[in-house]
Amino acid sequence: MSRVAERDVQPELQPGGGTGSEPAGKADSAGKADLADRVDAFFGRLGERGRVVVRQLPLSVTVVLVIAAARVFHPETLADPRFQLALLAHTSLFVLSVAVPWGRLPRGAYAVIPALDCVAIGFTREAGGPNFNVLSLLLVFPVIWLSVDRNRAGVVLAVAATVLSTLVPAAALGTPPTQGSMIRTIFLPLVMAAIAVTAHVVAGTLYRQRQILVRKDEALAETAAESIRRQRLLDAVLSTVNVAVWVVDQDGKDVLTNKALETDAALSRLSANQPRLFHADRTTPVPPERFPTARAAGGEKFTDELYWAGEGEEMRAYSVTARTMSSTNGSHAGAVITFAEVTALICALSAKDNFVATVSHELRTPLTSILGYLELVLDEPGHEDIGEELRIVQRNAHHLLGLVNGLIAVASERIELTLQDADVATLLAGVVASFHAQAAVNGVELVLDVEEPLTARVDPVRIRQVFGNLVSNAIKFSPDGGRVIARAHRANSHVVCSIADTGMGMDGQEQEQAFTKFFRSARSRDTAIPGAGLGLPISKTIVEGHGGSISLRSAPGKGTTVTVSLPVS
């Protein structure tokens, strides 16, 4: 596995213009694009005068070749003064293209050179006679030069110059019209016009495509720059946070990790496929198929699940969270898993629970003694004048002993159960009956709805404690009256009991913490509703000790429903 690292987005160029990892087709495309870039760069360095010279150069070189051919095959033509004047015109136009500072003149002034080239070609053809009629093909050079300009006027000028190349030389040299010259006068401009239009359309198309490619290149460069910026940001974030981050694909293969995971001794062994992962009890090993990475790669989401990694004194506790990733088409593409080390927090909570359990045990002994002596005092005659006060002391001592027992139960997270066959419906009915007086004081209607009998193997004392906690909470949190309904029925192999009230209810955040030790909602504190925040945690411990489950559903202002599910056996 490797950390997120900045990557060079510019591939190394190989001979031929491609990259070592590109396919042949892409390499060819890259080579053509590179050639076009070099041509553009070359023309950009030339300046306006250089570009005029380069465009004039093909015709000038061809004229030189024509002179060489004439010297070999028709030397008498070179001696003709008219032919010499025509060649002088070509030479003058080349010198003119070199000498004139075209960059200082208005744009398009250079068009005079190809226009005069057409006339010079006409004079060369006429002076050379029938043997040099083929020189009409040289008109392609100036015609294309004029036509590739984005301005459509270049096409008109190219056609006009072609017409002049047939009319002006014949008139100036006094050549009598012939059938061939008339055909040339008509068809040559037509052919050149077709070439001019074609060259203009093709050049325009190429120019537009070039502009599109330039814009795409600019967009690609911006995207690459943004990608680098985001990658640097991600690298900085992942390198800064002290939470281990592990990203896997849909097959569970590593995509990236951060420094916090790589430098953690316990997690680094885990990432190296050396299983050292245990459940919350620190002794049960986690099978590889239930590793957080395997679960997340399979599309499972989870939050703050406790795992232990390592062995012996090097064991570390981690709160693990996983979230899945989706591709552009919505399919599963992998997951991000975070490992937050909570060893110190778990040890602190354990120390707190040990402290609470120790203190509670120490408190229970004197409380038991106090209650014992209170019973003796109440049984002795002669204390009738303070009997009511002693009973108040006794009730509060019993209440305090109940809190101490609750603290011990919560701290141990395990409760000794004495299981036996009992009728859960009867247990619930007894608890409801015992709270009728309290419900009447609060103006709450207490309703019982059960199926009898509902026999299950439970600890009757503990189940009565659960029902008492739930009914008491329902009445307390319905301060303005309302209705509390206690229901029980059989559902397959379970007995399901629910306590529903129409009280103040809880929001989502409060529901998430409802089973947390000592948690009390803000509204219960504001309205001075008594309680220590132990009823639900104790009930959860008792129910789960029976192999059952307890859940809560609530909404602000609409009441709360707590459901307990107990296995029949």
Side-chain angles (χ1 to χ4, degrees), residues 107 133 161 194 200 203 228 279 324 338 351 397 402 453 457 513 550 569:
R107 183 183 179 279
N133 284 338
H200 180 76
I228 292 176
H279 286 292
T324 58
T338 61
R457 191 163 183 80
Q513 303 181 62
I550 183 170
S569 60

Side-chain angles (χ1 to χ4, degrees), residues 113-127:
I113 297 295
L116 293 177
D117 280 337
C118 292
V119 177
I121 291 171
F123 273 103
T124 306
R125 183 193 61 238
E126 290 293 334

Side-chain angles (χ1 to χ4, degrees), residues 98-144:
V98 174
V100 174
W102 299 104
R104 301 179 184 177
L105 300 179
R107 183 183 179 279
Y110 63 83
V112 68
I113 297 295
L116 293 177
D117 280 337
C118 292
V119 177
I121 291 171
F123 273 103
T124 306
R125 183 193 61 238
E126 290 293 334
N131 293 325
F132 286 85
N133 284 338
V134 72
L135 294 182
S136 296
L137 295 176
L138 296 181
L139 290 171
V140 171
F141 293 112
V143 165
I144 292 179

Side-chain angles (χ1 to χ4, degrees), residues 5 79 171 216 242 276 284 330 332 443 483 491 520 544 555:
K216 287 184 177 180
N242 58 358
R276 296 290 187 275
T284 306
H332 178 56
R483 172 182 289 188
R520 301 189 70 226
E544 290 181 349

Side-chain angles (χ1 to χ4, degrees), residues 47-49 51-52 55 100-114 145-155 157 200 203 207:
E48 191 68 24
R49 178 187 300 179
R51 286 192 288 271
V52 172
R55 291 169 180 170
V100 174
W102 299 104
R104 301 179 184 177
L105 300 179
R107 183 183 179 279
Y110 63 83
V112 68
I113 297 295
W145 182 358
L146 290 169
S147 302
V148 295
D149 194 282
R150 281 176 289 167
N151 193 341
R152 296 178 181 177
V155 178
L157 182 58
H200 180 76
Y207 175 78

Side-chain angles (χ1 to χ4, degrees), residues 409-427:
V410 168
S412 65
E413 295 187 349
R414 286 189 298 270
I415 294 180
E416 296 297 330
L417 300 176
T418 304
L419 300 179
Q420 63 185 68
D421 290 337
D423 185 1
V424 177
T426 301
L427 296 177

Side-chain angles (χ1 to χ4, degrees), residues 10 97 100 102 147 260 279 288 365 388 448 563:
Q10 296 294 337
S97 65
V100 174
W102 299 104
S147 302
H279 286 292
T365 300
E388 183 61 29
L448 178 65
T563 302

